[in-house]
Amino acid sequence: QVQLVESGGGSVQAGGSLRLSCAASGYTYSNYCLGWFRQAPGKEREGLAAIDSDGSTSYGYSVKGRFTISQDNAKNTLYLQMNSLKPEDTAMYYCAADRVWGCLLRDYRYLEVWGQGTLVTVSS
């Protein structure tokens, strides 16, 4: 059974940094896309960053240049380094996995596996 477990959320002041982690277990596909998404209250879920199994990365416009996605294959862990955080970054952050590349380009509702989310709060 595939499981994704996020951690690393918390409260931070504007301008600060956080690193989110997503531990994956039971995911053995050779081709995959791993992505980070977020959802603020009353808003649609937003794709932030994704990494395909060939190592290529993609970013959403709102976080490009501030957030960095990476993975440690030995630890089966996905990361999201978030710098220069803004109050508008406040949201629940989720990681997701799918067997098809380019998960930021597709409707998030059809991605195969989701974690439970970790809350990030940025105060001004």
Side-chain angles (χ1 to χ4, degrees):
Q1 184 178 357
V2 179
Q3 279 194 315
L4 301 175
V5 180
E6 302 96 333
S7 61
S11 297
V12 64
Q13 288 193 322
S17 298
L18 280 175
R19 188 177 80 158
L20 305 183
S21 299
C22 173
S25 60
Y27 205 82
T28 58
Y29 303 117
S30 57
N31 292 317
Y32 58 82
C33 176
L34 300 173
W36 285 101
F37 297 76
R38 70 184 178 191
Q39 188 163 17
K43 293 191 175 181
E44 190 75 6
R45 192 163 295 193
E46 176 188 10
L48 304 177
I51 185 165
D52 291 332
S53 48
D54 68 347
S56 60
T57 59
S58 56
Y59 292 91
Y61 177 79
S62 64
V63 303
K64 198 167 186 178
R66 297 190 299 128
F67 291 9
T68 303
I69 191 170
S70 63
Q71 62 179 343
D72 184 331
N73 290 328
K75 295 182 179 179
N76 292 325
T77 301
L78 179 73
Y79 300 102
L80 185 68
Q81 178 66 42
M82 306 187 295
N83 298 328
S84 303
L85 284 163
K86 306 174 183 179
E88 52 263 43
D89 293 318
T90 295
M92 186 71 79
Y93 284 68
Y94 301 89
C95 63
D98 198 90
R99 281 174 280 183
V100 179
W101 288 359
C103 44
L104 279 194
L105 300 176
R106 293 183 285 118
D107 188 329
Y108 70 87
R109 290 169 291 184
Y110 297 104
L111 299 182
E112 290 182 298
V113 185
W114 289 89
Q116 84 290 347
T118 186
L119 181 63
V120 172
T121 303
V122 184
S123 58
S124 56

